[in-house]
Amino acid sequence: MRILVVADVHANLAALQAVLAEAGEFETLWSLGDVVGYGAEPGACIELLRRYPLVAVAGNHDLAAVGAIGLEEFNPFAAEAARWTATQLSAAEKAWLSELPQVAAEGQFTLVHGSLMDPAWGYLFAASDAEEHLRRQPTPFGLVGHTHVPAVFFESEEAYLHGGASLALAERRFVANPGGVGQPRDGDPRAAYAVLDTEARRIEFRRAAYDIETTQAKIRAAGLPAYLAERLARGR
Ligand code: ZN
């Protein structure tokens, strides 16, 4: 089975469309949270994801947009975007976000936005952060989002992953992050995603170019903070 893995779409419709166009055939789509927040097209991203057989978990921005968590821990740009997003979503879109689980188990994989210690907010930036996560992970493999940086964490080892990298599903347990679709933060502005092939037992990390300028214009036209548009071009 081929599975398209996305994280941190962040209401960036053009980036999501580019990923879907380049991913090739897949049977199921896994979304690791933060479908909304920061970008100008939250509802359209939810609607597009929901056209596919989908397993999705909630991210901190999804929870903030429906009032399930407060905005105290958000930076001012993120908080402003969360308030704007709440005004844009339909009742059905909010209901869908509200019902997302925080953790999902699919075959040999555990899916969570942040970490198993703190599903909405925990960041895995280094192997030291991931140690406890791996101890708690009930499956051999795991997938997270939240940092927007493609990476893999083994017990006491980490590696950052550029487009074209791939990882075998073998004896070593790991938790991996495909990077962010809608707001990459590893210096490569292209949308980041992964394709998991359960027969070949391999996960591939990929990048897809998209129309950043048009996306930036939509963010500015929506009245969202200009910084959220500017950072897309830097991939930071
Ligand atoms: Zn995010």
Side-chain angles (χ1 to χ4, degrees), residues 57-198:
V57 292
N60 54 315
H61 286 259
D62 303 320
L63 296 169
V66 296
I69 59 172
L71 299 176
E72 309 77 38
E73 289 187 61
F74 281 75
N75 70 50
F77 303 112
E80 192 178 334
R83 281 189 285 269
W84 179 86
T85 301
T87 68
Q88 302 297 308
L89 295 173
S90 70
E93 289 156 358
K94 285 186 180 174
W96 182 78
L97 288 176
S98 303
E99 284 159 20
L100 292 176
Q102 297 211 0
V103 180
E106 289 292 310
Q108 290 192 299
F109 281 82
T110 302
L111 280 45
V112 62
H113 181 63
S115 78
L116 291 172
M117 294 79 82
D118 186 350
W121 276 111
Y123 287 95
L124 300 185
F125 276 117
S128 54
D129 305 326
E131 263 174 43
E132 178 63 23
H133 175 102
L134 286 168
R135 263 197 291 277
R136 295 186 188 203
Q137 189 173 278
T139 54
F141 312 113
L143 292 163
V144 295
H146 197 40
T147 66
H148 306 196
V149 176
V152 59
F153 306 101
F154 303 99
E155 270 135 8
S156 71
E157 191 191 337
E158 76 224 9
Y160 292 93
L161 302 166
H162 298 289
S166 81
L167 201 60
L169 309 186
E171 300 84 56
R172 290 181 85 188
R173 290 159 49 77
F174 68 74
V175 54
N177 187 325
V181 169
Q183 195 196 78
R185 292 181 188 162
D186 63 342
D188 180 344
R190 296 175 299 165
Y193 67 104
V195 177
L196 168 63
D197 187 326
T198 57

